[in-house]
Amino acid sequence: MEKMQQIVGRARAAFRSGRSRPLEFRIQQLKALERMVQEKEKEILAALKADLNKSGPNAYSHEILGVLRELALTMEKLPSWAAPQPVKKNLLTMRDEAYIGYEPLGVVLVIGAWNYPFVLVMQPLIGAIAAGNAVVVKPSEVSENTARLVAELLPQYLDKDLYAVVTGGVPETTELLTQRFDHILYTGNSTVGRIVMAAAAKHLTPVTLELGGKSPCYIDKDCDLAVACRRITWGKYMNCGQTCIAPDYILCDPSIQSKVVENIKATLKEFYGEDVKSSPDYGKIINQRHFKRILSLLEGQKIALGGETDEASCFIAPTILTDVSPESKVMEEEIFGPVLPIVTVKSVEEAIEFINLREKPLALYVFSNNKQLIKRVIAETSSGGMTANDVIMHSVVPDLPFGGVGHSGMGAYHGRYSFETFSHRRACLIKDLRWEVVNKLRYPPGSMEMMHL
Amino acid sequence: NPYAGLVSHLRASWLSGKTRPMEYRVAQLEALGRFLDDKKQEILEAAELDMGKPSFEAFFSEILLCKNELNITLNNLSHWMKDEHVDKNLVMQLDSAFIRKDPYGVVLIIAPWNYPIQLFLVPLIGAIAAGNCAVIKPSEISKNTERLVAETLSCYLDNDCFAVVTGGVPETTRLLENKFDYIFFTGSSPVGRIVMTAAAKHLTPVTLELGGKNPCYVSDTCDVTNVARRVAWGRFFNAGQTCIAPDYLLCTIEMQEKLMPALREAITEFFGPNPRESPDFGRIVSDKQFRRLRTLLGSGRVAIGGQTDEAERYIAPTVLVDVQPSDPIMQEEIFGPILPIVVIANMDEAIDFINARPRPLAVYAFSCDSKIVNQVLERTSSGGFCGNDTLMHVTLPSLPFGGIGNGGLGKYHGKFTFDTFSHHRGCLHRNMGLETLNTPRYPPYTQQKLGLLTTTFEVKRRGTCTLL
């Protein structure tokens, strides 16, 4: 109890000192973060390998490249993002100064997840620093090597009081959540998301919740199946399926189901070779608990491909299930593993209805040569974000907001949206003390004639 | 769950897609406009019955401001609804990247009693404009307005998509058990917490427009007459029952002495020698609020006003002096026609005083010296800020209206209301061809591929390119 209160108290005092407000200071901290990522690349990659068995180039492109890019973008754009924004005035305010000022919120909390353990604390941290806040970072204890590394490195490069790292599991996080923050950004699952929001409600703390869900992937009969399946294979099996925006399940016409399986099978060979288990590019399930959870989803299912597992190394082969029943267990929860169920539907209408009967997903995918069909799927469904004719990629467009809707989350970040998430947009109107004659119109005693002026 | 049927009916209408086409939204918004025109008299009368709201004030806040918001929305709706295209990098030049404005679904709007039409109608405008269905829960405390809205709004709006629910705390509690796709609440911070806690169960996003004690700093260099008028206007509008009213004044003892006659003069100018007889001064909404305010009159010493009449729920425009920070009137949002003056030595002390307290919905600063106004602005934090006037920043729809900290979360007015009730969905529509461009991202992962990926995806800081 004492410890959390002290850490947050120190951060708050540091924030109150005002030193995180000047842009020069923020950029200097961001530059330090950049140096950290460049100088400690080896250590970061080693932690990711230990936690998730991610290979070097893989980990670099998924976790480090994105962070460096976000840092460069933020340092570049910060002056323009932070500049007061003049607004359109009306007749009564013509002579006044009216603008929106961007101000820090105060002390913000970033809770990371284990699946992309480095980027999921770094990217929010970058936005929070850029917006001028003090930040408490709580990396996921499940990816323990990365958590330990982040706790070691940040104080070596950043202002120790303003930016603190708290490590630990459920008890520590629960304790942390009793403290008052000015914004909480949480990445994780919906169950804990509810707990975070309820804790935030006690302090009226705004939250950004980056949750999950079952991201559907509809494959139209009219599309280049080879290309579609290639892209889907990439997005589904990267990080061993442990990606919040991975295509969770496929919806397609029964007539193309076996072709889909064939194409994915061919692509898997191309990506991971004949023996997936020995490929340095194929990850592992994070721990025994998730391994067992995913395994249980395979019960009673028709395994068209894969299904091999090895508990000791938390290995699950890239797996495809066919003719899956919508009521089965694998269709109830977010899979978060290398298991791809195919549910057959007879038409795009059926697919849309299927999707809309379920909770709004974080991502939605549709593959088709037919632009009208794509437009229709977009218009008649709702999701955090979506990509047509590919997967994952909407999350790397810097100017698109990244976030969920409904059970997949609330709020958004990435790039400018991170800055805005962690800023208060303050309405400012500066009038002149003269020109009182204009004000007389509004003062009592009032009359309706005055009103109509 | 008594409201389950209603909510699922609205949800079925929502799923049918009927609220999505622009024509539908425009038709509903125009119907709202007709409601304001047709029922203008009834709205003014109900407001008068509920809290003695002067018809001048009621017209301004309940009709005029609402019509402005309607017109701005109708004028700009097609532009706001359009997909917003965004910049793309090298690899995505043939793709289409845009932000789509999706409706949330079925939203809940809970309104308070002090501006009973405006505070449900302006959010509703945004909710409809963004393509949602809505449940409206007006305040039971402004019961005449509540009845008017419950009885007549259904004659104007599509009853399959918009419903009014009446009742008090028990009814609202039951209502909040249902799943909504967005909840917009205006009211007090304690109830705001309850609403957000209920929303958390369903992971429903919220906007909370709450309150606080809005400080008003008056520097020693200012035009006392104008300051007094502007402060008095903001404080006594709606008999002080305004979330953004200047709650208390901070100034030096010298300024207080200069302000007193000016305030007295402004009050007389506005309401005559006996404000109780003025048609332009309101009343307190309920006996409970009246008694609460009457108790607060015990803080400090009455310098102007102080008269009360329980039968009429009248409290005279009042200024209190010799107020200590520990006095009861400085512990809660006043929400009545009482202006306490807290004496400070200088601007720095005023700023420290403000910063030692929860962040308010608005901060006001008066000075002929713009540097002083800017200092107060820069060194404090609040939902909004107005220099050299009160209330006016919320009448400009291009400025976001919302709080921070205990003052609330989220913002609205103008386009911000539309944005509040829309989900901004990031969309990328890629080309099926050019598959070779994707090769660098696929396994087997190699350093060479990584190099290619880095070149195409990275953002270089300007001025860091070295000539090869």
Side-chain angles (χ1 to χ4, degrees):
Chain A
M1 162 72 96
E2 209 54 58
K3 188 168 173 254
M4 298 299 173
Q5 221 166 14
Q6 272 170 15
I7 293 172
V8 180
R10 238 193 339 261
R12 196 164 287 287
F15 175 73
R16 282 226 178 92
S17 78
R19 66 177 181 274
S20 64
R21 303 195 68 146
L23 290 191
E24 301 75 47
F25 177 86
R26 307 181 203 181
I27 290 179
Q28 179 207 74
Q29 295 296 304
L30 293 172
K31 270 212 183 83
L33 261 188
E34 190 182 54
R35 264 196 336 269
M36 181 189 94
V37 176
Q38 288 162 344
E39 289 170 11
K40 300 294 175 184
E41 184 188 306
K42 255 209 219 64
E43 288 87 335
I44 297 168
L45 293 180
L48 291 169
K49 177 112 177 93
D51 283 330
L52 285 145
N53 202 30
K54 281 197 221 216
S55 68
N58 178 6
Y60 190 91
S61 70
H62 290 176
E63 302 235 27
I64 295 191
L65 194 60
V67 171
L68 288 173
R69 198 174 69 139
E70 189 83 339
L71 277 164
L73 176 75
T74 304
M75 287 190 278
E76 179 77 53
K77 300 276 188 180
L78 184 55
S80 72
W81 291 347
Q85 206 188 322
V87 300
K88 193 161 164 222
K89 297 182 284 193
N90 58 19
L91 215 61
L92 273 177
T93 46
M94 233 357 114
R95 301 191 64 94
D96 311 322
E97 246 187 278
Y99 60 90
I100 301 171
Y102 285 86
E103 302 178 358
L105 290 168
V107 181
V108 307
L109 173 63
V110 173
I111 302 177
W114 54 260
N115 57 335
Y116 291 88
F118 189 66
V119 65
L120 291 179
V121 302
M122 291 295 289
Q123 212 166 356
L125 175 63
I126 291 166
I129 293 176
N133 301 285
V135 192
V136 175
V137 172
K138 162 67 189 78
S140 170
E141 73 284 11
V142 178
S143 44
E144 53 186 347
N145 296 284
T146 311
R148 197 180 313 128
L149 185 67
V150 168
E152 269 169 34
L153 290 183
L154 284 191
Q156 287 176 31
Y157 286 83
L158 300 180
D159 182 311
K160 287 192 192 46
D161 292 327
L162 279 170
Y163 314 110
V165 182
V166 168
T167 54
V170 173
E172 287 81 5
T173 312
T174 309
E175 190 51 60
L176 195 54
L177 283 171
T178 61
Q179 302 301 310
R180 204 191 121 231
F181 293 98
D182 301 298
H183 195 101
I184 300 176
L185 189 150
Y186 166 79
T187 307
N189 66 60
S190 318
T191 310
V192 180
R194 280 186 186 85
I195 296 171
V196 171
M197 189 171 171
K202 292 199 173 68
H203 297 289
L204 291 168
T205 299
V207 298
T208 298
L209 304 176
E210 298 273 328
L211 310 176
K214 292 183 78 60
S215 301
C217 180
Y218 176 68
I219 308 178
D220 187 30
K221 275 191 286 194
D222 172 20
C223 86
D224 185 335
L225 262 188
V227 172
C229 290
R230 202 128 178 272
R231 298 178 181 186
I232 291 169
T233 305
W234 169 71
K236 174 74 200 184
Y237 299 108
M238 70 162 66
N239 206 27
C240 219
Q242 297 161 120
T243 306
C244 54
I245 42 168
D248 186 278
Y249 65 97
I250 288 182
L251 291 168
C252 70
D253 191 279
S255 65
I256 58 169
Q257 189 179 215
S258 51
K259 272 211 213 76
V260 167
V261 175
E262 267 168 49
N263 275 292
I264 295 179
K265 186 172 176 191
T267 309
L268 282 168
K269 212 171 285 180
E270 206 188 301
F271 287 177
Y272 305 113
E274 288 290 345
D275 177 24
V276 183
K277 198 151 178 238
S278 56
S279 164
D281 298 324
Y282 189 71
K284 70 177 185 77
I285 304 304
I286 184 80
N287 59 26
Q288 292 278 322
R289 180 168 72 86
H290 281 282
F291 174 88
K292 290 197 175 93
R293 176 187 66 79
I294 299 165
L295 204 57
S296 74
L297 299 177
L298 299 179
E299 278 160 34
Q301 296 297 339
K302 213 189 288 176
I303 299 179
L305 182 71
E308 301 91 7
T309 66
D310 176 30
E311 187 158 343
S313 57
C314 284
F315 166 82
I316 298 180
T319 301
I320 306 177
L321 309 173
T322 48
D323 296 319
V324 176
S325 149
E327 282 80 42
S328 52
K329 196 160 169 224
V330 75
M331 286 307 292
E332 270 171 31
E333 54 178 83
E334 184 175 357
I335 295 164
F336 228 65
V339 172
L340 181 61
I342 304 181
V343 175
T344 57
V345 289
K346 294 271 174 41
S347 63
V348 71
E349 285 82 20
E350 214 186 296
I352 290 172
E353 207 191 309
F354 189 93
I355 293 168
N356 286 342
L357 278 175
R358 289 165 171 67
E359 294 299 338
K360 296 175 194 175
L362 188 52
L364 183 143
Y365 302 112
V366 51
F367 286 82
S368 177
N369 286 329
N370 182 342
K371 279 204 174 81
Q372 286 318 306
L373 183 139
I374 290 177
K375 277 204 165 84
R376 196 177 153 194
V377 172
I378 298 177
E380 292 178 26
T381 60
S382 183
S383 64
M386 65 84 57
T387 301
N389 294 334
D390 206 339
V391 298
I392 314 283
M393 297 303 282
H394 63 284
S395 66
V396 306
V397 180
D399 290 340
L400 285 181
F402 181 68
V405 66
H407 283 198
S408 56
M410 59 183 77
Y413 74 122
H414 283 191
R416 175 168 67 94
Y417 296 95
S418 300
F419 177 80
E420 287 184 1
T421 286
F422 291 112
S423 301
H424 171 55
R425 271 180 268 191
R426 190 179 190 194
C428 301
L429 180 65
I430 320 272
K431 299 192 69 124
D432 202 295
L433 257 185
R434 301 163 298 173
W435 310 108
E436 185 61 356
V437 69
V438 178
N439 281 351
K440 292 216 178 219
L441 285 176
R442 75 191 201 214
Y443 295 151
S447 67
M448 287 322 229
E449 289 86 50
M450 286 291 221
M451 206 63 251
H452 291 297
L453 257 166
Chain B
N1 188 342
Y3 300 106
L6 172 66
V7 177
S8 63
H9 178 75
L10 257 51
R11 199 168 287 290
S13 304
W14 151 252
L15 285 170
S16 77
K18 82 193 285 212
T19 57
R20 290 183 181 257
M22 189 172 110
E23 299 72 39
Y24 177 88
R25 306 182 199 189
V26 168
Q28 296 300 303
L29 290 171
E30 286 174 347
L32 266 187
R34 284 196 306 278
F35 165 76
L36 286 173
D37 288 334
D38 295 348
K39 298 295 169 192
K40 184 177 92 180
Q41 261 322 108
E42 287 90 329
I43 290 172
L44 300 185
E45 277 162 17
E48 160 127 51
L49 285 169
D50 281 331
M51 66 202 93
K53 205 189 270 276
S55 40
F56 186 91
E57 286 183 6
F59 182 82
F60 183 72
S61 73
E62 308 304 278
I63 309 283
L64 187 63
L65 284 181
C66 295
K67 295 212 78 182
N68 280 357
E69 290 279 343
L70 254 176
N71 291 338
I72 286 168
T73 304
L74 284 165
N75 288 344
N76 292 286
L77 186 57
S78 79
H79 176 64
W80 293 351
M81 279 174 69
K82 280 203 172 70
D83 292 340
E84 249 179 71
H85 286 261
V86 301
D87 280 344
K88 297 169 291 189
N89 61 20
L90 214 64
V91 176
M92 291 182 185
Q93 283 311 305
L94 289 181
D95 307 324
S96 174
F98 55 95
I99 300 168
R100 212 185 123 78
K101 316 299 170 67
D102 281 343
Y104 276 107
V106 180
V107 309
L108 171 63
I109 297 169
I110 303 176
W113 50 262
N114 56 337
Y115 293 90
I117 296 285
Q118 191 204 121
L119 297 179
F120 88 80
L121 201 122
V122 174
L124 180 61
I125 289 170
I128 294 176
N132 302 281
C133 293
V135 172
I136 299 131
K137 164 71 189 70
S139 171
E140 74 283 13
I141 294 175
S142 42
K143 51 186 187 306
N144 295 281
T145 310
E146 185 201 34
R147 193 183 314 126
L148 176 66
V149 172
E151 284 171 9
T152 60
L153 199 63
S154 53
C155 306
Y156 291 86
L157 296 180
D158 180 343
N159 293 324
D160 284 333
C161 301
F162 308 103
V164 178
V165 165
T166 57
V169 171
E171 289 80 6
T172 312
T173 309
R174 299 310 308 270
L175 190 55
L176 283 169
E177 286 167 14
N178 293 281
K179 179 183 173 179
F180 291 97
D181 302 300
Y182 203 94
I183 298 178
F184 189 104
F185 170 80
T186 308
S188 72
S189 305
V191 182
R193 282 188 185 84
I194 295 171
V195 170
M196 188 169 171
T197 306
K201 293 200 175 72
H202 296 287
L203 288 169
T204 299
V206 302
T207 290
L208 306 174
E209 297 271 329
L210 312 175
K213 290 182 77 58
N214 306 317
C216 181
Y217 170 67
V218 178
S219 85
D220 286 337
T221 49
C222 69
D223 181 328
V224 177
T225 315
N226 290 352
V227 170
R229 275 211 203 89
R230 297 176 190 194
V231 171
W233 177 72
R235 171 75 281 186
F236 302 121
F237 196 93
N238 202 28
Q241 297 159 118
T242 307
C243 55
I244 40 157
D247 188 276
Y248 64 97
L249 214 97
L250 290 167
C251 66
T252 60
I253 192 83
E254 293 81 29
M255 178 47 57
Q256 181 184 276
E257 274 164 35
K258 290 200 194 110
L259 265 178
M260 210 52 68
L263 282 169
R264 213 172 267 123
E265 199 184 305
I267 292 170
T268 312
E269 211 182 286
F270 292 171
F271 309 118
N274 187 1
R276 197 164 147 196
E277 287 162 15
S278 164
D280 296 324
F281 185 69
R283 296 292 182 270
I284 306 308
V285 74
S286 70
D287 296 327
K288 179 171 158 205
Q289 291 295 326
F290 172 85
R291 284 186 219 118
R292 178 186 67 82
L293 286 164
R294 192 174 54 189
T295 314
L296 293 180
L297 285 172
S299 298
R301 173 174 61 86
V302 173
I304 302 174
Q307 301 88 351
T308 67
D309 181 313
E310 187 154 3
E312 271 185 49
R313 293 196 292 271
Y314 165 79
I315 295 182
T318 300
V319 177
L320 301 177
V321 294
D322 301 337
V323 176
Q324 297 308 309
S326 53
D327 283 335
I329 204 167
M330 288 306 290
Q331 310 315 314
E332 54 181 270
E333 185 175 356
I334 296 166
F335 229 68
I338 309 169
L339 180 67
I341 301 181
V342 174
V343 163
I344 39 84
N346 49 51
M347 181 191 70
D348 286 330
E349 221 181 271
I351 289 174
D352 288 343
F353 190 94
I354 294 170
N355 287 339
R357 286 162 175 71
R359 287 174 291 192
L361 200 44
V363 166
Y364 298 110
F366 285 83
S367 181
C368 287
D369 183 350
S370 64
K371 279 200 284 298
I372 291 182
V373 171
N374 273 306
Q375 282 259 317
V376 178
L377 166 59
E378 279 164 25
R379 289 165 59 187
T380 61
S381 179
S382 61
F385 178 92
C386 188
N388 293 328
D389 209 336
T390 58
L391 312 191
M392 291 304 283
H393 59 294
V394 311
T395 64
L396 192 55
S398 51
L399 284 176
F401 176 57
I404 185 176
N406 283 10
L409 51 105
K411 58 197 167 296
Y412 74 124
H413 281 188
K415 177 164 190 276
F416 298 103
T417 323
F418 175 84
D419 285 340
T420 289
F421 286 105
S422 323
H423 167 57
H424 290 221
R425 187 182 188 189
C427 301
L428 178 65
H429 183 159
R430 301 212 72 189
N431 199 293
M432 274 270 225
L434 301 170
E435 181 60 2
T436 36
L437 282 181
N438 282 343
T439 313
R441 79 188 198 201
Y442 295 142
Y445 301 122
T446 64
Q447 279 302 130
Q448 186 197 44
K449 278 185 182 174
L450 187 58
L452 268 170
L453 209 62
T454 307
T455 319
T456 50
F457 268 96
E458 77 176 341
V459 172
K460 276 206 139 50
R461 283 210 70 192
R462 256 185 282 194
T464 59
C465 260
T466 50
L467 282 171
L468 294 164

